[in-house]
Amino acid sequence: MRRLRIATGLIISLLLAIFCQQQAMADAAPQMVQPQERWSLLLDEHAELGLDEIRAQASRFQPLTKQSLTFPAPDHAVWLHLDTPGYPNLHWLWLFAPRAQFVDIYLLIDGELVRTVHTGEARPMTTRPLPSRAYMLNLPSDAPHEIYVRLTSS
């Protein structure tokens, strides 16, 4: 009987220690605040609009849903738009579009064009910021960003 009490006390002590440790870890963990990032989409039916014309037509962008984006027709361009808040650490925009022949990424901060990347399957691999099948762009920290991505194929 004495061994049963010792075993029961040991099990309860271990469970209590585990519970306290989990509680302490949860209290010490930084609270992650998810930014409100919303992708939006605009179909350029003649694939002729540039960045300035697209920015002037900001009201035509529609929210992007999972079913919204299919590969563009050969004579169309798909524009994606994203507003992001400033991040305290380095973040990357990671875009996987394996059949997009032309991918143009425009990064704006405070309405000014800061960086442009022209890449895609039809362009040399050296046009990509990193040698990867995905298209990546590092985002500067501590400043809100506005990102436009133009996808076309022929």
Side-chain angles (χ1 to χ4, degrees):
M1 190 64 132
R2 182 173 181 198
R3 288 184 185 179
L4 181 61
R5 282 190 223 146
I6 292 173
T8 304
L10 181 62
I11 290 173
I12 290 173
S13 298
L14 288 174
L15 290 175
L16 185 59
I18 290 171
F19 175 74
C20 290
Q21 183 181 14
Q22 287 178 344
Q23 195 69 15
M25 288 175 59
D27 291 342
Q31 297 297 322
M32 297 297 291
V33 177
Q34 293 297 326
Q36 294 298 317
E37 297 176 348
R38 293 202 178 112
W39 285 92
S40 54
L41 169 90
L42 175 69
L43 181 64
D44 178 6
E45 295 184 9
H46 302 290
E48 296 174 349
L49 298 176
L51 179 62
D52 293 330
E53 291 94 2
I54 289 297
R55 291 185 66 207
Q57 299 180 23
S59 62
R60 290 188 47 210
F61 276 87
Q62 301 294 319
L64 182 66
T65 62
K66 290 180 182 177
Q67 292 81 25
S68 301
L69 185 59
T70 57
F71 201 72
D75 55 346
H76 291 65
V78 172
W79 283 86
L80 301 173
H81 176 249
L82 175 67
D83 281 319
T84 64
Y87 296 107
N89 300 321
L90 179 68
H91 274 68
W92 288 84
L93 171 69
W94 185 86
L95 180 68
F96 186 69
R99 286 174 267 159
Q101 292 185 337
F102 300 97
V103 177
D104 302 317
I105 304 171
Y106 303 93
L107 175 67
L108 292 91
I109 296 177
D110 294 329
E112 292 188 34
L113 185 62
V114 175
R115 192 176 322 149
T116 304
V117 175
H118 299 288
T119 185
E121 292 295 316
R123 294 182 175 137
M125 192 69 146
T126 57
T127 62
R128 299 181 189 192
L130 292 174
S132 169
R133 295 228 351 114
Y135 306 104
M136 296 188 236
L137 178 71
N138 63 329
L139 303 175
S141 57
D142 294 334
H145 313 89
E146 190 174 3
I147 301 166
Y148 288 91
V149 178
R150 182 178 187 263
L151 303 168
T152 56
S153 66
S154 55

